[in-house]
Amino acid sequence: MEAAAQARLVLDEFVPLCSVIYVRGITRDDVLRFHTALRKRGCKDRTVANKHDRLKAFLRFCKVDTAFMPGTPKYEKGLPTIYTSAETTKILAAADEYMRLVLELGLKLGLREQEITYAEWGDVNWDESVFRVQGKSHWKWKIKDSEMRVTPIPADVLRRLKAWRKSHPKSRLIVGTSTDKPNQHFLRTLKRLARREGSIAASAMDAPPG
């Protein structure tokens, strides 16, 4: 549903620029006109690239050969946002139990965003208090650089995990969605928390994740 909503937003911007009726009538010039219109509105190159890719995904969904489209616009990748100790403390205090667990898995276990996304209860060795970072073929996900590893779980995080497990006895993923699917929006939620708490300037929040 979220992908459909994003496609609708892009189409609402793109369709008024086209005079064609059917998707197969869209031309390269139509797409370039879309890029120009977005830039005139003040959209940054990264935003233009994202909207371009969403439009391309929609056309592929419509079974349209997208070879006619120009390449995805290039943009410079900024440095990742780094939070100070004070900012981190503030964000943790503002987070609910779910996001606090997500953040502590990253902060105290050193897990990357996708490693948290696909973390399962089976990765936790309760007796040894360690977490095994490993790929999940059933989710079609592999660890970066295929580097499996084991990381110790601090006592406070282990207690939080046990409490969370007790309240979610049937879930497979540790911090999945309400339907036990991988949650791909942790970074978005983190940024929302930071903005709400005034922990970081809005301009800095536009930098892509590391």
Side-chain angles (χ1 to χ4, degrees), residues 14-169:
F14 177 73
V15 170
L17 302 174
C18 298
S19 58
V20 299
I21 297 175
Y22 302 106
V23 290
R24 284 179 172 76
I26 295 171
T27 67
R28 177 186 178 89
D29 286 342
D30 291 323
V31 179
L32 291 174
R33 194 178 303 116
F34 181 46
H35 293 177
T36 300
L38 291 172
R39 291 192 175 97
K40 285 182 177 179
R41 275 177 39 206
C43 293
K44 296 182 179 179
D45 289 340
R46 182 183 180 89
T47 300
V48 176
N50 288 338
K51 289 179 181 292
H52 172 97
D53 287 342
R54 289 187 185 124
L55 175 63
K56 187 173 185 179
F58 174 76
L59 293 178
R60 285 178 172 174
F61 171 77
C62 295
K63 310 299 182 185
V64 173
D65 183 353
T66 57
F68 73 90
M69 293 183 69
T72 301
K74 303 295 183 182
Y75 58 90
E76 291 186 356
K77 294 184 178 181
L79 294 173
T81 300
I82 299 176
Y83 300 100
T84 65
S85 177
E87 288 169 342
T88 300
T89 299
K90 200 172 182 181
I91 292 171
L92 283 169
D96 58 20
E97 285 299 309
Y98 177 83
M99 273 306 295
R100 186 177 180 90
L101 179 57
V102 169
L103 295 172
E104 290 194 343
L105 289 174
L107 289 168
K108 299 184 178 182
L109 271 68
L111 303 185
R112 301 181 177 99
E113 183 183 4
Q114 290 293 295
E115 292 170 351
I116 298 172
T117 297
Y118 293 99
E120 297 181 346
W121 292 113
D123 298 324
V124 180
N125 184 323
W126 302 102
D127 295 331
E128 300 294 329
S129 299
V130 295
F131 182 90
R132 179 179 293 276
V133 182
Q134 53 191 338
K136 305 293 190 310
S137 58
H138 47 281
W139 293 118
K140 297 182 180 179
W141 175 75
K142 295 181 180 179
I143 310 170
K144 185 177 181 180
D145 300 326
S146 299
E147 185 182 335
M148 290 179 60
R149 66 187 189 280
V150 173
T151 183
I153 306 174
D156 60 331
V157 180
L158 190 65
R159 287 193 297 270
R160 193 175 296 279
L161 281 168
K162 287 180 178 178
W164 191 255
R165 179 57 168 166
K166 187 175 180 180
S167 61
H168 298 78

Side-chain angles (χ1 to χ4, degrees), residues 1-16 34 51 54-55 58:
M1 292 304 295
E2 181 168 347
Q6 292 293 343
R8 169 57 62 190
L9 289 173
V10 169
L11 290 174
D12 286 345
E13 296 172 311
F14 177 73
V15 170
F34 181 46
K51 289 179 181 292
R54 289 187 185 124
L55 175 63
F58 174 76

